[in-house]
Amino acid sequence: MENIFIVRCGETALKGQNKPYFERMLVQRIKKNLKDMDGVSVDRADGLIFVRTPQEIPQEDTLKRVGRVFGVDSISPAKEIEIKGMEAEEALTAVGKVAVDYMLEIIEERGIKTFKVEAKRADKTFPVESPQIGKIMGAKILKGCKVLRVDVHNPDCALYVNVRRDYAYVYEKKIAGFGGLPLGTNGRGMVLLSGGIDSPVAAFMMAHRGMYIEAVHFHSYPYTSERAWEKVRDLAGILTDYCGKIRIFSINLLPIQEQIVQNCPEDETTILVRRFMMRIAEQIAKREGDLMLITGESLGQVASQTAASLVVTDAAVSLPVMRPLIAMDKTEIMDRAREIGTFETSIQPFEDCCTVFLPKHPVTQPKLERIVESESRLDVEALVNAAVESAEISVITQRSDV
Ligand code: ATP
Ligand code: MG
């Protein structure tokens, strides 16, 4: 015996000629998320994906892991009935028997009183049409489960019956996935990953649109601690549940911060540091073939994220900078962080490199000419090159726990 799950693709099903490609990518991603489970199969048939797992693997584990694959709209644990070579009546009798047993199980578990049947004939050569299949199943369930009544508007349980060519499926709930697009369908981006709440959410949101993620992290060791770095690795580890393997390029920004503090106006420190971060990230991104930079910035959240500051930050680089959180409120971002599981780690109180040389009154309306003038006192190119060369790479592999 095995457990069977029906997986529905959401948006990926709408992609016209690209549909088979998106579905193949999705199957690959599901397989990858289940790869350390033995005896699992993942196949697609007419717009649905069927996942089969050995019975000893808890259903919850499979649901959780498949639910985290971007591109999955919903999942249902299902009962499968072989109807190959059967006449319609015989087939419906077989399906009805399973449907009644299934409903009895649900009554036992949850004491439901009302139900409805949603029937679908995916195989148009099956001689009984969908509404009629629904009626027949409804009658069989009423007969087999005396406590139940039909309620088409607000049933305690909606039972789905799907008749296909050789098999029929009976299932109940649809468990929502994250939707989005399968990883790898939209290239790769470089996220500037701090240990805060925002940047992991930004990475998640871009991965959700099919983008592989890698990360650059800046620290100011020894002003920032080993624990602060571990926190970043932990955050990346949580993200791998959704994004797969992540490489982190970690860079000590201290030499640059010291140069800025010694040579430039104090109130410009933050914006100058940010422009260096962008340049370093961009150089690595270009070398590694990443298409975009990604940050967790949100308009107006802090001085370095006013519209004027963002314009000056952007002017340091030529790659597009994606800011998926730009119009979100902090509370929304925090809710999202809780949903994906990064929040508790993000709020651990470790210092970030940005806080090390925080000016008392940072400029909120920087002028590009002034900032460029300040930078002319530094050897920007040499500093950036040295930082890029000093990058240490850590590979965070996909966690398999659920
Ligand atoms: P977060 O919660 O993501 O840390 P934040 O609200 O603290 O963001 P800032 O510290 O101004 O905001 O940082 C804005 C963005 O710059 C971050 O979302 C992140 O993308 C990037 N960033 C900041 N600090 C670092 C760092 N130490 N390493 C890499 N990127 C960073
Ligand atoms: Mg931060």
Side-chain angles (χ1 to χ4, degrees):
M1 275 295 283
E2 50 188 8
N3 291 321
I4 296 167
F5 304 84
I6 295 182
V7 180
R8 288 166 217 83
C9 336
E11 201 173 338
T12 57
L14 307 173
K15 296 279 167 183
Q17 282 186 335
N18 288 332
K19 187 176 157 181
Y21 164 69
F22 279 95
E23 284 179 3
R24 268 201 316 277
M25 296 293 279
L26 190 55
V27 167
Q28 265 183 30
R29 295 313 311 179
I30 295 173
K31 281 186 177 159
K32 208 150 197 172
N33 267 24
L34 300 176
K35 72 172 187 292
D36 59 329
M37 294 179 171
D38 284 333
V40 173
S41 75
V42 184
D43 305 287
R44 78 197 158 101
D46 320 320
L48 290 181
I49 292 171
F50 293 88
V51 175
R52 290 156 206 276
T53 62
Q55 205 168 30
E56 58 273 17
I57 296 178
Q59 283 204 2
E60 286 309 310
D61 291 2
T62 310
L63 288 172
K64 223 172 193 168
R65 291 212 205 175
V66 176
R68 287 197 294 232
V69 175
F70 294 138
V72 169
D73 200 45
S74 64
I75 323 155
S76 307
K79 305 280 181 197
E80 184 177 63
I81 308 107
E82 186 168 359
I83 55 169
K84 196 172 181 173
M86 288 184 184
E87 295 293 330
E89 198 183 323
E90 191 188 351
L92 291 178
T93 303
V95 176
K97 197 170 165 314
V98 172
V100 168
D101 287 347
Y102 191 32
M103 289 309 264
L104 289 171
E105 264 177 47
I106 296 170
I107 293 168
E108 169 116 14
E109 265 173 32
R110 313 208 304 260
I112 59 160
K113 301 240 167 355
T114 59
F115 78 106
K116 75 169 176 181
V117 176
E118 295 272 357
K120 189 170 162 202
R121 176 187 63 155
D123 171 16
K124 299 297 174 210
T125 66
F126 191 80
V128 184
E129 292 183 5
S130 303
Q132 191 59 23
I133 297 174
K135 277 191 193 141
I136 294 170
M137 286 302 137
K140 286 182 190 292
I141 290 168
L142 283 172
K143 199 163 156 224
C145 311
K146 296 280 188 248
V147 297
L148 288 184
R149 281 179 297 111
V150 173
D151 181 346
V152 289
H153 299 298
N154 192 19
D156 297 335
C157 167
L159 191 75
Y160 296 82
V161 176
N162 190 337
V163 179
R164 304 176 84 82
R165 192 172 298 278
D166 296 329
Y167 294 90
Y169 298 87
V170 170
Y171 51 89
E172 186 205 356
K173 48 187 157 210
K174 298 188 176 187
I175 296 149
F178 281 104
L181 298 170
L183 273 181
T185 55
N186 259 318
R188 197 174 56 196
M190 171 69 84
V191 64
L192 283 79
L193 187 66
S194 68
I197 295 170
D198 305 328
S199 45
V201 176
F204 175 94
M205 287 175 76
M206 294 306 286
H208 179 255
R209 299 307 300 171
M211 185 165 254
Y212 278 125
I213 297 297
E214 53 189 355
V216 56
H217 173 70
F218 299 99
H219 59 86
S220 310
Y221 193 79
Y223 288 91
T224 57
S225 65
E226 193 63 33
R227 279 298 290 127
W229 164 233
E230 275 168 31
K231 175 182 169 184
V232 173
R233 292 176 59 101
D234 288 348
L235 286 170
I238 298 168
L239 287 174
T240 62
D241 287 342
Y242 310 96
C243 309
K245 182 180 81 179
I246 296 178
R247 291 194 300 172
I248 311 179
F249 297 81
S250 77
I251 291 164
N252 192 339
L253 208 57
L254 193 56
I256 292 177
Q257 289 173 305
E258 284 171 345
Q259 287 285 314
I260 291 173
V261 169
Q262 281 160 25
N263 297 295
C264 306
E266 196 220 355
D267 62 349
E268 293 175 2
T269 310
T270 306
I271 186 85
L272 288 167
V273 167
R274 297 205 55 72
R275 279 165 59 89
F276 270 97
M277 284 186 174
M278 291 302 217
R279 289 190 182 101
I280 295 163
E282 176 182 55
Q283 206 175 106
I284 299 175
K286 282 184 171 166
R287 187 186 73 200
E288 301 299 324
D290 300 330
L291 301 173
M292 298 168 166
L293 300 178
I294 303 163
T295 78
E297 288 161 311
S298 165
L299 190 60
Q301 203 188 78
V302 287
S304 61
Q305 298 175 27
T306 61
S309 297
L310 293 178
V311 170
V312 173
T313 306
D314 260 9
V317 289
S318 61
L319 275 188
V321 181
M322 296 294 122
R323 298 183 169 93
L325 314 185
I326 194 70
M328 285 167 76
D329 290 346
K330 192 77 188 184
T331 49
E332 283 177 75
I333 300 169
M334 283 159 57
D335 287 346
R336 212 70 214 281
R338 285 190 193 93
E339 189 191 1
I340 65 180
T342 52
F343 185 75
E344 291 303 324
T345 305
S346 286
I347 59 173
Q348 290 172 11
F350 296 110
E351 62 296 322
D352 183 64
C353 73
C354 296
T355 55
V356 173
F357 298 102
L358 206 59
K360 280 188 209 71
H361 303 288
V363 280
T364 55
Q365 303 298 321
K367 296 268 180 302
L368 185 57
E369 309 81 67
R370 290 271 294 278
I371 298 299
V372 170
E373 203 278 310
S374 300
E375 281 174 350
S376 70
R377 295 173 221 166
L378 307 170
D379 188 345
V380 173
E381 200 183 322
L383 287 169
V384 170
N385 288 342
V388 168
E389 269 164 39
S390 74
E392 290 179 30
I393 306 178
S394 309
V395 179
I396 313 293
T397 51
Q398 194 161 1
R399 309 189 307 176
S400 55
D401 57 324
V402 286

